[in-house]
């Protein structure tokens, strides 16, 4: 007999359904509440400011996330939460605000937007103090309230915004001191407080801001010595103009790009270490009281384009044959106590550089606007010259490695080595010009430091490197070696090279730790991979990071516009299909050629869900990238979800770097052009890492992805687009499957994966032949490493015959050494991108110096090949 079924059991299967219905109804209700709350906040904000007009029509039925952005008003949402609010006025006066305006009420109102990450309130006439309640905006990452009338002090409670990456308080009426609590903002990348009335000294806690990239305190009343910033390895832009800083020159990191100390109270000399700031592009120390010798080495800094040392009391001699960097655009040495002759390199050619030097004692051609030599001599005697405080004991010039037997013995050995090297150079009658002239004290200090670092690294190493080259690559190695030996005309060079190769293989067998190369290094330890989070508002990033100035504004394209440009995506417009979707070429109605990438979405989402990706893509605008011009959505008709995203990029003729280094002889680049092309590649990667937030890493870069336009300007055509993960599964798309390990390893060493890819490109650039197989890379890296230790003849035998006679020995060595380091099996031993960039700049500078010397000896003009030095 069947058992009766209870009433409760008969409905038990309905319980999960009821729970699901309850969940969705609750979620929908919360979403409605969230939308209503944010709408109300925006309405209150509009009432307080009486601006912007776009918010006047806002009501509970309005989807504010889809309000069309304008130059003065932009809202950005992520998953229905308001994350960015940008409002820019026209410089309203405080009287233009409604009578009920209060800065306290303003920030209390905005504090209800719990997901707000970016707040820009510029030129709105806002007045009153910055209230302590600003700390309630706890999610803020970027705060820009510049060009208003905020007064009073900078509240210490601003330090409670722990996620803050950019703080911009420019052009206000702020007074008092910078709060010491600012040092607790450990993610801060941009700190800009220019054009206020701040006083006192800079708090010592600033030295702890390890992520700081931009510090601008110009046009205030701040005084005293700046705390030591030597350990802020990310700092690139420092502007202290029009303050009362001094008297000592600040202790600074060597990776600065822009340094402005104009119109302060510095009274002592420039540190000699300033001549090792190889990335410095702008240096302004004018209108101070600097004394002591001017550093002529500053003129040859490889990246410097702007130098102003006017209105000081610099002494010393200038010589006609002093060298200058080719990139110099402006030099001002006026109103000092300099003697001698104006260097030939400062006499303008084709209006470059602009050089000002009046008010010295130089015996220039016309003699006008110069004082007699006795004037500078007497004034120099009258000046009491204090020895400058040497804050920079390290240099990144040539590395000297010695085995030390105690401090005194080690120092004596280095002195002996230096004397021996100098005597040999004089015997040979040839001096290689380099941009760095380190003092013996600096060389000894660097050698001791490097010894300590090497000992520490040896103790910490627990993991052994890979051993011998795999058996599968031995035959390849032998065949490559045989081909190279055929190029070497000298029997002695062959024997030397063979002996070195045997020693290298034996070392690899008996010592798996490998051989360290001594390439120039900007910093001993590479910076962390996660530097991308440090960059923020492009207005306040250093000049090298500003982007897209020459491109039309990024915009949304109509789908019909793209169909017209491609003749309805006709097969004749189709270019290729790759990991980033289908690629078409087209021409807009105004005649502008474009490239279109169509990305088919695997998941159904509304356009709003992709806006945070689009926002990042819109920032991909750089002179060495195929830059983004706009986007367009193609949506499904049934649910309005996005089926395809079209990304529009600039069009560049498909002439790859490979064809220019390993193609037909008529297309091959010169040695200098190859280095400059490599510089363009590295600058593009540097921008992808640090020029946008978040940065793009593991870009799987190949030499075929590097294009050159008609002016030989380098453009990277394929990189890790933010939407890539939405469109494809994680599979290997490169020509070398598994070349750099598994996916987890690539994520962990994201920035160093790109450095490895740079190394592969450098390898092909040096050898001048395509690398088609994975085994070739390791074999040829070993070959390069061996050749570094052989004689010049054997070393040149492995270089592309098209250029092996035109490259200087030092330039070739630098290129080989940095290439080997980039290809290190251990990602932690690969150099940083900045390190690679400096070495390439060094290589091109010594190459240009060598070429000028060769031209002088032959009596031919140095400018005959000046065009190639400006390629990229």
């Amino acid at each position: 007999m069947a058992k009766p079924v209870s009433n409760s059991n008969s409905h038990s299967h309905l319980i999960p359904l009821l729970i699901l219905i309850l969940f969705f109804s609750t979620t929908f209700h919360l979403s409605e509440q969230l939308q209503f709350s944010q709408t109300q906040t925006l309405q209150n904000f509009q009432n307080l400011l009486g601006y912007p007009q776009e918010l006047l029509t806002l009501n509970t039925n309005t989807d504010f996330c889809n309000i069309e952005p304008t130059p003065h008003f932009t809202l950005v949402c992520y998953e229905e939460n308001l994350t960015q609010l940008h409002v820019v006025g026209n410089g309203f006066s405080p009287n233009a605000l409604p009578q009920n305006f209060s800065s306290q009420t303003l920030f209390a109102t905005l504090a209800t937007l719990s997901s707000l990450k970016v707040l820009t309130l510029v030129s709105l006439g806002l007045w009153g103090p910055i209230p302590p309640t600003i700390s309630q905006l706890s999610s803020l990452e970027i705060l820009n309230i510049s060009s208003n009338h905020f007064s009073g002090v900078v509240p210490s409670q601003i330090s409670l915004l722990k996620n803050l990456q950019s703080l911009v308080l420019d052009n206000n009426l702020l007074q008092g001191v910078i709060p010491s609590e600012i040092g607790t903002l450990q993610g801060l990348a941009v700190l800009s407080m220019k054009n206020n009335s701040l006083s006192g000294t800079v708090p010592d806690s600033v030295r702890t801001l390890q992520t700081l990239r931009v510090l601008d305190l110009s046009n205030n009343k701040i005084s005293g010595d700046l705390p030591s910033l030597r350990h802020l390895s990310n700092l690139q832009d420092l502007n202290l103009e029009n303050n009362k800083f001094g008297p000592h020159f600040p202790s600074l990191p060597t990776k600065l790009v822009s340094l402005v100390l104009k119109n302060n109270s510095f009274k002592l000399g420039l540190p000699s270490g300033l001549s090792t700031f190889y990335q410095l592009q702008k240096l302004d120390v004018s209108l101070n009281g600097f004394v002591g010798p001017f550093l002529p080495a500053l003129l040859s800094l490889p990246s410097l384009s702007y130098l102003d040392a006017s209105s000081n009391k610099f002494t010393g001699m200038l010589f006609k044959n002093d060298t200058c960097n080719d990139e110099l655009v402006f030099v001002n040495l006026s109103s000092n106590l300099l003697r001698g002759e104006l260097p030939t390199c400062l006499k303008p050619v084709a209006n470059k550089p602009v050089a000002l030097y009046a008010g010295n004692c130089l015996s220039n051609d016309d003699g006008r606007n110069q004082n007699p030599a006795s004037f500078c001599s007497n004034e120099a005697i009258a000046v009491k010259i204090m020895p400058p405080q040497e804050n920079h004991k390290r240099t990144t010039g040539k590395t000297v490695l010695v085995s030390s037997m105690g401090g005194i013995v080690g120092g004596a050995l280095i002195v002996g080595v230096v004397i021996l090297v100098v005597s040999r150079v004089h015997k040979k009658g040839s001096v290689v010009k380099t941009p760095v002239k380190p003092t013996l004290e600096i060389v000894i200090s660097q050698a001791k430091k490097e010894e300590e670092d090497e000992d520490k690294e040896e103790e910490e190493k627990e993991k052994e490197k890979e051993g011998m080259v795999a058996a599968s690559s031995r035959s390849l190695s032998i065949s490559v070696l045989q081909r190279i030996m055929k190029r070497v005309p000298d029997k002695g060079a062959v024997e030397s090279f063979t002996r070195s190769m045997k020693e290298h293989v034996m070392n690899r067998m008996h010592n798996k730790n490998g051989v360290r190369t001594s390439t120039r290094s900007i910093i001993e330890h590479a910076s962390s991979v996660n530097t991308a989070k440090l960059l923020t508002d492009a207005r306040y990033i250093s000049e090298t990071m500003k982007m897209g100035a020459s491109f039309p504004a990024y915009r949304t394209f109509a789908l019909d516009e793209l169909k017209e440009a491609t003749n309805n995506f006709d097969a004749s417009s189709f270019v290729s299909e790759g990991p980033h979707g289908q690629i078409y070429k087209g021409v807009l109605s105004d005649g502008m050629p474009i490239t279109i990438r169509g990305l088919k979405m695997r998941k159904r989402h509304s356009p709003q869900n992709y806006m945070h990706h689009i926002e990042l893509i819109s920032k991909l605008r750089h002179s060495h990238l195929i830059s983004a011009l706009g986007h367009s959505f193609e949506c499904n008709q049934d649910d309005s979800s996005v089926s395809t995203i079209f990304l529009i990029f600039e069009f560049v003729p498909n002439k790859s770097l490979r064809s220019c280094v390993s193609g037909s002889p008529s297309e091959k680049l010169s040695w200098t052009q190859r280095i400059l092309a490599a510089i363009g590649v590295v600058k593009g990667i540097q921008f992808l890492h640090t020029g946008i937030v978040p940065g793009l890493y593991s870009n799987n870069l190949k030499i075929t992805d590097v294009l050159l336009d008609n002016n030989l300007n380098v453009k990277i055509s394929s990189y890790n687009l933010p939407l890539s993960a939405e469109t494809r599964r994680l599979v290997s798309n490169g020509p070398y499957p598994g070349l750099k390990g598994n996916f987890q390893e690539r994520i962990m060493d994201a920035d160093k994966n790109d450095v490895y890819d740079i190394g592969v490109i450098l390898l092909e650039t040096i050898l001048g032949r395509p690398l088609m197989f994975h085994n070739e890379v390791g074999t040829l890296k070993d070959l390069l490493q061996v050749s570094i230790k052989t004689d010049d003849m054997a070393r040149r035998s492995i270089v592309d015959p098209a250029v092996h006679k035109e490259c200087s020995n030092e330039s070739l060595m630098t290129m080989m050494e940095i290439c080997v380091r980039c290809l290190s099996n251990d990602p932690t031993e690969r150099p940083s991108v900045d390190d690679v960039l400096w070495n390439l700049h060094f290589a091109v500078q010594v190459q240009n110096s060598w070429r000028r010397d060769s031209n002088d000896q032959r009596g031919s003009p140095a400018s005959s090949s000046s065009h190639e030095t400006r390629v990229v």
Side-chain angles (χ1 to χ4, degrees):
M1 184 175 175
K3 292 183 179 180
V5 180
S6 68
N7 212 17
S8 59
N9 287 337
S10 65
H11 299 290
S12 59
H13 66 283
L14 298 176
I15 293 176
L17 181 60
L18 291 172
I19 293 175
L20 192 62
I21 293 172
L22 181 62
F23 170 77
F24 279 113
S25 64
T26 304
T27 304
F28 181 74
H29 180 65
L30 290 174
S31 177
E32 274 192 328
Q33 281 187 328
L34 178 63
Q35 188 85 358
F36 176 78
S37 171
Q38 293 179 122
T39 300
Q40 197 171 41
T41 298
L42 291 174
Q43 289 174 333
N44 293 338
F45 174 80
Q46 207 282 336
N47 291 334
L48 268 174
L49 270 62
Y51 187 83
Q53 296 298 317
E54 288 84 350
L55 293 179
L56 279 175
T57 58
L58 192 64
N59 56 57
T60 54
N61 296 320
T62 306
D63 184 3
F64 58 80
C65 290
N66 285 323
I67 294 178
E68 191 68 25
T70 67
H72 61 271
F73 176 67
T74 302
L75 295 177
V76 178
C77 298
Y78 178 61
E79 295 182 348
E80 299 185 351
N81 288 304
L82 184 60
T83 57
Q84 297 189 32
L85 172 59
H86 302 267
V87 185
V88 179
N90 297 317
F92 303 131
S93 86
N95 297 328
L97 294 175
Q99 292 184 351
N100 63 342
F101 174 79
S102 159
S103 59
Q104 177 84 26
T105 306
L106 172 66
F107 286 102
T109 300
L110 294 173
T112 62
L113 300 173
S114 58
S115 298
L116 193 64
K117 296 180 181 296
V118 180
L119 176 61
T120 302
L121 303 175
V122 174
S123 299
L124 295 172
L126 306 179
W127 56 272
I130 302 175
T133 53
I134 194 173
S135 62
Q136 296 175 8
L137 292 161
S138 57
S139 297
L140 269 190
E141 296 177 1
I142 299 175
L143 175 61
N144 181 358
I145 53 174
S146 58
S147 300
N148 285 293
H149 300 273
F150 287 113
S151 57
V153 301
V154 179
S156 60
Q157 289 82 357
I158 212 162
S159 64
L160 299 176
L161 301 175
K162 296 302 182 184
N163 298 316
L164 206 59
Q165 298 176 18
S166 177
L167 176 60
V168 181
L169 307 177
D170 302 340
N171 302 304
N172 280 289
L173 305 173
L174 298 172
Q175 298 177 331
V177 300
I178 301 172
S180 60
E181 291 84 356
I182 205 85
T184 63
L185 296 174
Q186 291 302 297
L188 198 63
V190 177
L191 176 57
S192 186
M193 299 182 176
K194 65 184 180 184
N195 297 327
N196 282 285
S197 297
L198 299 174
S199 58
T201 60
V202 175
D204 195 58
S205 60
V206 169
R207 69 169 70 196
T208 66
L209 297 175
Q210 295 295 321
T211 58
L212 197 63
R213 282 186 177 270
V214 178
L215 177 59
D216 193 339
L217 303 175
S218 57
N219 298 304
N220 280 286
K221 301 174 183 178
I222 307 172
S223 59
D225 286 332
L226 193 69
S228 174
L229 306 180
R230 185 162 52 97
H231 298 295
L232 302 188
S233 58
N234 290 296
L235 188 63
Q236 293 186 341
D237 194 334
L238 177 61
N239 191 343
L240 306 179
E241 181 179 353
N242 290 335
N243 278 285
K244 300 177 181 179
F245 285 105
H248 297 97
F249 192 91
S251 178
L252 302 172
T254 58
K255 292 172 64 176
L256 279 175
V257 172
S258 176
L259 174 59
V260 179
L261 305 179
K262 180 180 181 179
N263 195 20
N264 276 281
S265 301
F266 296 106
K267 302 294 183 185
L268 305 179
L270 295 179
S272 59
L274 192 60
S275 60
T276 66
F277 283 40
Y278 301 115
Q279 297 186 56
L280 199 60
Q281 296 182 9
K282 179 177 182 179
L283 175 61
D284 190 342
V285 294
S286 60
L287 295 170
N288 279 286
F290 283 115
V291 298
F294 174 73
L295 304 175
L298 295 176
L299 297 171
S300 60
L301 283 174
S303 302
L304 197 69
S305 61
Y306 183 101
L307 171 62
D308 193 344
S310 61
S311 301
N312 285 287
K313 296 182 180 180
F314 287 121
T315 59
M317 298 285 291
L318 295 180
F319 297 96
K320 187 176 181 179
N321 60 350
D322 282 340
T323 60
C324 302
N325 165 30
D326 289 338
E327 300 301 317
L328 270 180
V329 175
F330 178 84
V331 178
N332 190 354
L333 303 177
S334 305
S335 303
N336 280 289
L337 303 173
L338 300 174
R339 295 180 293 164
E341 285 189 87
L342 184 73
T344 303
C345 61
L346 289 182
K347 294 182 178 179
V349 177
N351 298 321
K352 182 182 177 183
V354 174
L356 307 176
Y357 48 91
N360 286 284
C361 301
L362 299 173
S363 56
N364 57 326
D365 295 339
D366 52 23
R368 291 177 299 175
N369 301 318
Q370 296 293 320
N371 297 308
S374 58
F375 173 83
C376 291
S377 299
N378 295 336
E379 287 293 319
I381 293 173
V383 174
K384 182 180 180 181
I385 301 177
M386 300 288 289
Q389 290 186 342
E390 287 291 342
N391 294 317
H392 303 278
K393 297 295 183 183
R394 294 179 55 203
T395 181
T396 53
K398 292 187 175 181
T399 308
V400 181
L401 298 178
V402 295
S403 56
S404 177
M405 297 174 60
I408 299 177
V409 176
L413 284 174
I414 296 175
V415 172
V417 169
V418 171
I419 294 173
L420 180 61
V421 170
V422 172
S423 65
R424 286 187 176 182
V425 169
H426 282 290
K427 284 180 181 180
K428 290 181 180 180
S430 62
V431 179
V432 179
K433 291 185 180 180
T434 64
V436 186
K437 298 178 181 178
T439 64
L440 183 59
E441 181 185 8
I442 296 174
V443 174
I444 294 173
S445 174
Q446 181 190 0
K448 290 180 178 179
K449 174 63 177 173
E450 289 178 345
E451 281 186 332
E452 295 171 1
D453 289 343
E454 287 179 3
D455 292 339
K456 185 176 180 181
E457 288 174 2
E458 290 298 325
E459 292 174 0
E460 292 177 348
K461 282 183 180 177
E462 297 176 357
K463 202 173 179 183
E464 295 185 340
K465 293 183 181 179
E466 294 181 5
M468 297 173 58
V469 180
S472 61
S473 65
R474 285 177 187 150
S475 59
L476 176 64
S477 178
I478 293 172
S479 64
V480 171
L481 187 60
Q482 287 173 343
R483 288 200 303 271
I484 289 170
M485 290 309 165
K486 291 178 182 177
R487 295 186 187 175
V488 186
D490 183 73
K491 182 178 179 182
V494 174
E495 293 175 352
S496 171
F497 191 87
T498 305
R499 183 168 56 254
S500 297
M501 190 66 180
K502 289 179 179 178
E503 291 175 357
H504 177 70
V505 173
M506 293 301 293
N507 287 337
R508 289 288 298 270
M509 292 174 65
H510 295 294
N511 180 13
K512 293 185 178 182
N513 285 333
V515 182
R516 286 175 60 94
T517 57
S518 58
T519 348
R520 296 150 190 87
S521 177
I522 298 172
I523 50 174
E524 291 289 325
H525 305 287
S527 59
S528 169
V529 64
N530 201 21
T531 55
K533 285 196 66 172
L534 308 180
L535 289 183
T536 51
D537 214 291
R539 275 186 62 199
Y540 303 97
I541 297 172
S542 61
E543 291 298 321
T544 55
M545 297 300 177
K546 288 183 180 177
M547 50 188 168
S550 60
F551 301 115
Y554 186 93
R555 66 184 178 93
T556 301
F557 284 78
L559 187 56
D560 289 340
E561 199 175 354
L562 302 185
K563 289 180 179 179
E564 181 183 351
T566 59
N567 193 17
N568 201 20
F569 295 101
D570 186 75
S572 61
S573 301
F574 181 77
V575 176
S576 64
E577 184 165 7
H580 300 312
Q582 293 181 328
I583 301 177
Y584 294 85
K585 63 180 179 181
V587 179
L588 296 176
S589 57
D590 62 359
M592 181 180 183
I594 56 172
T595 300
I596 303 171
R597 295 182 182 177
L599 309 177
K600 292 190 179 297
M601 299 294 103
R602 293 166 52 211
K603 297 180 180 180
R604 291 198 168 192
H605 293 297
S606 68
Q608 190 59 43
N609 285 75
Y610 293 108
M611 290 311 295
H612 60 292
H613 291 305
I614 295 298
E615 182 184 4
L616 181 57
I617 289 172
S618 70
K619 298 176 182 177
L620 295 174
R621 300 160 73 81
H622 189 268
S623 58
H624 295 301
L625 298 181
I626 300 292
S627 298
L629 303 178
H631 71 276
S632 179
F633 292 132
E634 184 176 36
C635 299
N636 296 305
Q637 293 183 357
D638 53 351
D639 60 358
S640 297
S641 63
V642 176
S643 60
T644 306
I645 297 179
F646 294 100
L647 300 177
I648 296 85
F649 294 86
E650 61 173 324
F651 175 79
V652 174
N654 192 17
K655 182 180 181 182
S656 73
L657 180 58
R658 168 169 283 175
S659 67
C660 294
V661 298
S662 58
S664 63
S666 61
E667 290 187 346
K668 285 196 170 186
L669 298 178
S670 68
W671 178 249
T672 303
Q673 288 173 331
R674 295 182 189 206
I675 305 175
L676 290 167
I679 289 174
V681 173
V682 177
K683 284 184 176 180
I685 293 297
Q686 183 187 54
F687 174 80
L688 290 174
H689 286 190
T690 61
I692 53 177
V693 180
L696 300 181
Y697 298 91
S698 293
N699 289 282
N700 195 25
L701 182 66
K702 300 181 288 294
I703 194 169
T704 51
D705 296 329
V706 180
L707 305 182
L708 288 86
D709 63 17
N710 295 328
N711 297 317
L712 297 184
N713 184 53
V714 166
K715 299 273 190 177
I716 299 175
S717 66
S718 180
Y719 37 84
N720 188 9
L721 286 170
L723 285 165
S724 298
E726 302 280 347
T727 62
R728 57 187 169 88
R729 296 179 180 88
L730 297 174
V731 295
S732 175
N733 295 298
Y736 315 119
L739 181 62
K740 296 177 283 298
N742 61 46
F743 185 75
Q744 292 299 326
E745 290 173 347
R746 286 186 65 80
I747 292 298
M748 186 169 54
D749 301 301
D751 61 335
K752 296 307 176 71
N753 293 327
D754 287 333
V755 171
Y756 185 97
D757 293 337
I758 291 170
V760 176
I761 292 175
L762 290 177
L763 189 60
E764 188 163 330
T765 301
I766 294 170
L767 302 179
R769 68 181 186 84
L771 306 180
M772 306 304 295
F773 303 102
H774 164 50
N775 287 343
E776 284 187 289
V777 176
T779 301
L780 293 173
K781 183 198 81 171
D782 290 341
L783 198 60
L784 234 64
Q785 195 162 2
V786 170
S787 71
I788 291 171
K789 299 184 178 298
T790 62
D791 56 54
D792 185 53
M793 178 70 74
R795 188 179 305 116
R796 290 176 186 272
S797 68
I798 69 173
V799 179
D800 183 0
V803 296
H804 78 278
K805 290 183 179 179
E806 67 179 75
C807 49
S808 73
N809 184 50
E810 188 161 15
S811 177
L812 177 59
M813 283 280 287
T814 302
M815 286 285 284
M816 286 183 166
E817 288 171 356
I818 195 63
C819 177
V820 169
R821 287 179 59 202
C822 289
L823 296 174
S824 173
N825 293 324
D826 184 354
T828 61
E829 292 193 354
R830 296 171 196 159
S832 66
V833 173
D834 290 336
D835 193 352
V836 177
L837 186 59
W838 183 86
N839 277 277
L840 295 177
H841 275 301
F842 182 87
V844 79
Q845 186 176 0
V846 295
Q847 173 69 17
N848 289 340
S849 178
W850 175 80
R851 192 180 67 248
R852 281 195 296 267
D853 290 347
S854 300
N855 288 332
D856 289 344
Q857 291 174 7
R858 292 194 300 265
S860 58
S863 60
S864 61
S865 60
S866 62
H867 170 70
E868 71 175 17
T869 64
R870 287 172 172 78
V871 174
V872 177

